[in-house]
Every structure is written in structure tokens, then in C-alpha cells.
Amino acid sequence: MTKHDFSHVDTWVFDLDNTLYSPEIRLFDQIEVRMTQFVMDTLNVDHAEANRLRALYWHEHGTTLAGLMRVHGMAPDDYLIAVHDIDMTPLTPDADLRARIAASGRKIIYTNGTAPYATRVAAARGLEGIFDAIYGVEHAGYSPKPDAEAFRAVFDADGLTTDRAAMFEDDPRNLAIPHAMGLRTVHVAPTALVAEHIHHHTDDLSGFLAQLV
């Protein structure tokens, strides 16, 4: 990877969970617990079945919420409020990451969570005030990544020029459509995955950005 690979990029798109913080923090574990409990309470099933459905819907529909909406006709708001009511104290500010993101061009967050939740996570990481826009699943009509219509809705609303943008994402599924749309793709994860739709891999987002700014 060289600076030249990103010389055309003027918009930087960042996923949120397990991308702007390390998966070792395991913040998303709290959300998974709350997802399972919500499925138990709403569908009146036991823990094992709720956990199975949570994972199944994530696999088949992109998110657990998408499965609940499509299979059970569930409205999204109560679910999103419940699952994102978590403790942010495991997150700590990262001054180096802040400086490196801030030194980039135009930058946005795009998450399958909600924009208010993303704002809380960004603040806990010391990244408040440096993003030009924050988009959540609500901005895509609750259609989640990796759905093509979700990306189109958010990128069209943002006015993003796809062949002048890069996307950083921990879930490799969510890089396939951006790649097809012309974005430079960066898989942020502990383990590299070789795939045609992944241009670059890093297990250190801050260190990767340091090579570009």
C-alpha cells in the first residue's frame, strides 16, 4: 500500500463498531446480549432460540433487525433504543487516531447502528467534532449494509462521489457493494481475508492512516 493508492480519495467512509475501536474491547458483546434479550421478550422464545435467531437473521439479512422486520414485521425504533443502551466506559480516547482521521479529507461515519449511537461511540473515543456527517441505518430506511440499496441511499444523500472515496469496514461482506461502486476498500480486522472486493487489509486503523496523512 502506498499513498498513491489513495491519491484520488477525497471522502473517507468509516464503519463504526469494531472499526473505530478494536474488537478486543468487545463492546459489541453488550449489544448482542441486549439483542438476544429483546428477541426473547418480543417473540416469547427461550434464550437458545433467541440467540439462534439473532445469528441467523444477521447471516441471512445483514442484521438481526432486518430479519425481525422482514420475517416478523417488527417496527425498528424500540429495538434500536433497547440494544444501543450500553455502557461506553470500555472505550477510551485515542488522540493519535483522532489526529490522523482529522488530517484526512472529508470524512463520514456510516454504521448499521443509529446515528445517535454512533455519536456516543465517537465521543467516547475522543473523535467528536471531526466527522462531516454521521449516517445510521435510519438514513437507509432501515435497510442494512450489505444491501446495495442501503449504500445507494446513504451515498446519494451524502452526495459522495464513489470513485473518489474509500471505505474502512470490519465486516468483509460490507465491502463488496462499495467495491462494485468504485470505492477503495480497506478491511479492518485482526485477520486478513483475500478477496477480489478487498483492496487493502489492516489490523491497525491508526497505523494505516499514519501512512496516508
Side-chain angles (χ1 to χ4, degrees):
M1 188 275 295
T2 67
K3 281 189 175 183
H4 179 73
D5 295 324
F6 291 83
S7 61
H8 65 291
V9 173
D10 58 24
T11 302
W12 306 75
V13 184
F14 295 91
D15 176 51
L16 182 75
D17 289 307
N18 296 329
T19 298
L20 290 181
Y21 61 84
S22 169
E24 294 178 357
I25 294 174
R26 307 196 69 83
L27 186 75
F28 204 79
D29 288 6
Q30 295 185 59
I31 294 178
E32 290 185 344
V33 169
R34 298 186 72 83
M35 287 177 179
T36 300
Q37 187 62 53
F38 191 92
V39 173
M40 289 173 63
D41 295 342
T42 304
L43 301 184
N44 194 28
V45 296
D46 64 19
H47 184 275
E49 176 63 4
N51 207 39
R52 184 188 75 84
L53 290 174
R54 177 189 61 76
L56 176 68
Y57 291 161
W58 176 85
H59 178 74
E60 292 187 346
H61 299 279
T63 61
T64 301
L65 173 61
L68 292 170
M69 294 177 68
R70 294 166 183 171
V71 177
H72 303 280
M74 183 177 297
D77 291 343
D78 288 347
Y79 171 91
L80 289 167
I81 292 170
V83 303
H84 290 137
D85 184 18
I86 64 169
D87 175 20
M88 296 288 176
T89 56
L91 296 173
T92 55
D94 186 332
D96 288 338
L97 180 61
R98 179 185 176 90
R100 290 161 185 170
I101 293 177
S104 305
R106 187 170 185 276
K107 45 263 178 191
I108 67 175
I109 291 174
Y110 174 27
T111 174
N112 273 340
T114 64
Y117 165 71
T119 300
R120 290 175 60 216
V121 171
R125 288 289 279 152
L127 304 176
E128 69 279 3
I130 64 171
F131 291 98
D132 296 280
I134 296 177
Y135 298 100
V137 68
E138 68 269 33
H139 294 101
Y142 299 102
S143 179
K145 299 180 284 184
D147 293 355
E149 61 266 29
F151 286 103
R152 283 194 292 267
V154 168
F155 292 167
D156 286 352
D158 186 72
L160 178 147
T161 302
T162 55
D163 61 2
R164 295 189 61 81
M167 183 157 188
F168 297 80
E169 166 76 56
D170 72 296
D171 188 341
R173 300 180 304 171
N174 296 342
L175 291 172
I177 296 299
H179 178 272
M181 296 173 76
L183 281 80
R184 176 70 54 175
T185 58
V186 184
H187 183 214
V188 183
T191 303
L193 175 68
V194 177
E196 289 185 0
H197 66 278
I198 295 174
H199 293 123
H200 307 281
H201 167 266
T202 183
D203 61 0
D204 176 11
L205 175 61
S206 184
F208 188 91
L209 293 174
Q211 301 175 65
L212 302 178
V213 298

